[in-house]
């Protein structure tokens, strides 16, 4: 368990080096507590844009990472890739393992729900959760932001899919379990025994929960993949973003309607909710001068490609868009949920900024598919009728 700096950190200027170090030190714990060996390997190799380690090519550089996503032929259904893991969620990994016309058709199918109009239709769903869950901050009580993020994600998925019999937290729990089992073979190293069976069982539970209440025809694979992606990235990102704002003194930027959208983008860049994008090359190529052979595993370290490790978030001096957007991928297979992620984070920052909460306790989640907090408890330092703590 980690403890926060004093509540005065909520009002520390964002430029203060000590505040930035505290924020980065806390956030680093979601990696060191859950993936210590992998984190050490990636940190040791990040000075080179592209590094080969046996049959694996680690890609850290911004340019090579974009090139790998847009120019290198990829085997999107290979075991150990995002598409391969998605296939474990059902009989097909819709969206992530598709190419050509099939992929374009699937993206069109989700565009209505994840486009600008769709996001605005969904917004009241998660705003109700925010208002209810954050109300205790106004009466000097503590709030754990992880259950809040979980309910936000589950409620949004439920609305996006047109309703299910399951509740938001039940959906979120099942999606987290499915992801935790399906992505185990994304990381270098031996695959734990029983992973495939556990993935199938978790996927079956998730699909059953997501069955439409109307009984109308629906693609169970697509529903499962959307649920897993939305839930796990939301639960990983939102509490970490709040911790960064509290520790680095970013609440002033979060309270500014003009700066907050840029701050949301910056936080998503630094958080890189999916810090690694595992791929497999389908043909010989070169990345950053390093030869790549067909069948090589590519580990795209988007956290480093987006400069998350050495450039802190700042809405007044944001990183170049070419680097920042890599956390959502690039090209035809870029994440279709980027707009949704930005909108949810923007609303969370706006809701929290009035209270300028400080982090009281934080515990990393060692089991989750994506680096994140198992609990992150905050308390307000300012708000209506309260003087800001300094």
């Amino acid at each position: 368990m980690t403890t926060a700096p004093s509540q005065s950190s909520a009002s520390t200027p964002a430029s203060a080096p000590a505040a930035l170090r505290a924020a980065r030190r806390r956030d680093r714990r979601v990696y060191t507590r859950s993936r210590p060996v992998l984190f050490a390997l990636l940190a040791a190799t990040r000075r080179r844009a592209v590094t080969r380690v046996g049959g694996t090519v680690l890609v850290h550089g911004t340019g090579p990472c974009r090139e790998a996503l847009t120019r290198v032929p990829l085997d999107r259904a290979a075991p150990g890739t995002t598409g391969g893991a998605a296939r474990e969620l059902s009989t097909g990994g819709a969206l992530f393992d598709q190419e050509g016309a099939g992929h374009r058709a699937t993206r069109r199918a989700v565009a209505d729900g994840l486009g600008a109009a769709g996001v605005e239709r969904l917004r009241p769903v998660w705003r109700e959760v925010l208002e209810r869950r954050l109300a205790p901050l106004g009466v000097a009580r503590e709030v754990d932001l992880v259950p809040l993020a979980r309910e936000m994600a589950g409620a949004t998925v439920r609305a996006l899919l047109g309703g299910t019999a399951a509740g938001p937290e039940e959906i979120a729990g099942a999606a987290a379990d499915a992801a935790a089992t399906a992505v185990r073979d994304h990381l270098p190293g031996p695959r734990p025994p029983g992973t495939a069976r556990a993935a199938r069982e978790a996927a079956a539970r998730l699909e059953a929960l997501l069955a439409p209440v109307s009984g109308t025809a629906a693609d169970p694979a697509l529903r499962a993949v959307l649920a897993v992606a939305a839930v796990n990235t939301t639960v990983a990102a939102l509490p970490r973003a709040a911790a960064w704002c509290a520790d680095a003194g970013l609440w002033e930027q979060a309270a500014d309607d003009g700066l907050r959208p840029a701050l949301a983008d910056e936080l998503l860049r630094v958080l890189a909710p999916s810090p690694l994008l595992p791929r497999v090359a389908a043909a010989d190529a070169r990345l950053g001068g390093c030869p790549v052979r067909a069948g090589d595993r590519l580990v795209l370290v988007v956290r480093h490609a987006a400069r998350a490790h050495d450039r802190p978030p700042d809405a007044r001096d944001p990183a170049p868009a070419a680097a920042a957007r890599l956390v959502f991928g690039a090209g035809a297979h870029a994440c279709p949920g980027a707009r949704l992620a930005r909108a949810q984070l923007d609303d969370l920052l706006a809701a929290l900024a009035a209270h300028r909460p400080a982090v009281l306790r934080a515990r990393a989640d060692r089991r989750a598919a994506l680096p994140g907090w198992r609990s992150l408890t905050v308390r307000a330092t300012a708000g209506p009728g309260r003087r800001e703590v300094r």
Side-chain angles (χ1 to χ4, degrees):
M1 181 178 294
T2 65
T3 56
S6 67
Q7 288 187 347
S8 63
S9 66
S11 58
T12 303
S15 59
L20 292 174
R21 286 196 297 270
R24 192 174 295 283
R25 185 166 56 247
R26 186 196 301 281
D27 194 62
R28 191 180 293 123
R29 289 192 177 104
V30 300
Y31 297 98
T32 58
R33 298 294 174 86
S34 61
R35 305 283 191 272
V37 175
L38 178 63
F39 184 80
L41 170 64
L42 297 180
T45 60
R46 71 187 179 200
R47 293 186 181 278
R48 299 187 63 180
V50 184
T51 302
R52 174 177 288 280
V53 181
T56 298
V57 178
L58 304 177
V59 183
H60 299 272
T62 302
C65 185
R66 175 175 293 279
E67 187 174 356
L69 289 168
T70 58
R71 296 185 180 181
V72 176
L74 301 174
D75 181 352
R76 298 194 178 274
T81 67
T82 303
R87 279 180 172 262
E88 294 185 20
L89 294 172
S90 189
T91 54
L95 197 59
F96 291 105
D97 67 349
Q98 294 175 321
E99 290 281 11
H103 179 257
R104 290 191 294 272
T106 303
R107 287 188 75 94
R108 285 195 297 270
V110 302
D112 181 61
L114 297 176
V119 167
E120 288 308 308
R121 287 196 298 269
L122 292 170
R123 215 159 196 155
V125 174
W126 71 70
R127 281 182 168 174
E128 186 280 327
V129 177
L130 281 172
E131 182 177 0
R132 171 168 42 82
R133 287 274 190 172
L134 293 179
L137 291 179
V139 291
R141 290 168 55 192
E142 300 175 4
V143 172
D144 186 344
L145 296 183
V146 174
L148 176 150
R150 192 178 298 124
E151 185 180 354
M152 272 184 67
T156 302
V157 166
R158 191 172 188 270
L160 175 64
L161 298 182
T164 71
E169 294 181 64
E170 193 176 11
I171 292 171
D177 287 343
T181 55
V183 304
R184 289 185 191 278
D185 63 344
H186 275 200
L187 304 177
R191 185 172 178 171
T195 297
R197 183 182 68 255
R200 288 193 299 270
E201 292 173 352
R205 288 194 297 272
L206 178 61
E207 286 194 10
L209 287 176
L210 297 178
V213 292
S214 63
T216 56
D219 184 342
L222 180 58
R223 292 170 73 87
V225 167
L226 288 175
V228 165
V231 166
N232 286 278
T233 54
T234 299
V235 174
L238 297 191
R240 288 177 61 194
W244 256 102
C245 287
D247 292 338
L250 295 172
W251 291 127
E252 181 182 348
Q253 293 187 11
D256 188 319
D257 292 344
L259 289 176
R260 192 168 54 250
L263 177 61
D265 282 343
E266 278 288 275
L267 287 167
L268 288 168
R269 175 184 65 80
V270 170
L271 300 172
S274 298
L276 307 179
L277 298 181
R279 301 291 189 264
V280 170
D284 293 351
R286 292 187 72 83
L287 285 174
C290 177
V292 175
R293 299 183 293 268
D296 279 348
R297 179 188 291 267
L298 308 179
V299 177
L300 311 182
V301 191
V302 294
R303 178 176 185 270
H304 294 162
R307 302 283 304 279
H309 62 295
D310 63 1
R311 181 165 182 157
D314 187 349
R316 294 187 175 92
D317 183 24
R325 292 172 183 166
L326 282 175
V327 297
F328 293 109
H333 285 78
C335 175
R339 187 189 301 271
L340 177 65
R342 294 186 182 103
Q344 289 186 319
L345 180 52
D346 188 285
D347 283 350
L348 174 71
L349 296 177
L352 288 174
H355 302 286
R356 301 194 176 214
V359 179
L360 301 180
R361 296 178 299 278
R363 183 159 55 115
D365 194 333
R366 298 171 186 268
R367 182 180 178 276
L370 300 176
W373 298 110
R374 186 175 181 83
S375 64
L376 187 101
T377 305
V378 301
R379 186 167 61 201
T381 67
R386 294 169 60 94
R387 293 180 61 193
E388 183 175 345
V389 177
R390 293 187 181 274

